[in-house]
Amino acid sequence: MKKIELKFLNEDDKTVTYSLEKPVEPVDPAAVSSAMDEILTQNAFTSSGGDLVSKKSARIVDRNVVEIELP
């Protein structure tokens, strides 16, 4: 399952990650950056270390699980 992870820094300078399932592909880096800017502007989320203060990074994570049949 693919997810997009949005990473921010909070007031304590700690990384805060928000994951969203089923990202739109291909990913538009400008749209992701704009959405992250809007999250910061709206102060939409907070963390135990305080408000989010800056963007750190974003990435797509693809997790593949293969079941192993045991004899």
Side-chain angles (χ1 to χ4, degrees):
M1 171 181 290
K2 288 188 179 182
K3 293 183 179 185
I4 187 168
E5 291 185 348
L6 307 177
K7 296 182 177 275
F8 298 89
L9 292 176
N10 64 15
E11 291 174 326
D12 284 346
D13 204 34
K14 303 284 185 190
T15 301
V16 179
T17 304
Y18 294 99
S19 297
L20 303 165
E21 295 181 358
K22 301 177 184 176
V24 174
E25 293 189 277
V27 175
D28 178 356
V32 172
S33 182
S34 177
M36 291 176 78
D37 287 337
E38 189 64 22
I39 289 169
L40 291 170
T41 299
Q42 296 289 327
N43 200 21
F45 300 110
T46 189
S47 69
S48 59
D51 292 340
L52 305 179
V53 295
S54 66
K55 297 183 286 187
K56 182 174 181 183
S57 65
R59 65 185 183 175
I60 296 290
V61 176
D62 190 2
R63 179 171 177 243
N64 292 314
V65 177
V66 178
E67 295 291 333
I68 299 172
E69 289 191 33
L70 301 176

